[in-house]
Amino acid sequence: MLEDIVAWAAEHPEPSTLMLVMSDISQDFLDVVDLLTTKKNYRFIEVLPHPPPPPPRPLVLILLTNNSSD
């Protein structure tokens, strides 16, 4: 993917728009972003989704019975 980004940046003069949707970002990717920012004057906008809500707490029910033999 990094090679594709670098090739795309070489073919598209600034300003251009590239949108990527990624779940994990590697250090190699961040290095390419830094190079494109400093050498080609590209701008990047990082959009992070809200973290998912925590899972619901488990429900524990205890049934108490009266076992009197009266």
Side-chain angles (χ1 to χ4, degrees), residues 16-30:
S16 293
T17 303
L18 171 64
M19 182 167 130
L20 297 173
V21 178
M22 301 173 63
S23 61
D24 294 322
I25 300 175
S26 68
Q27 185 59 47
D28 290 337
F29 178 79
L30 293 175

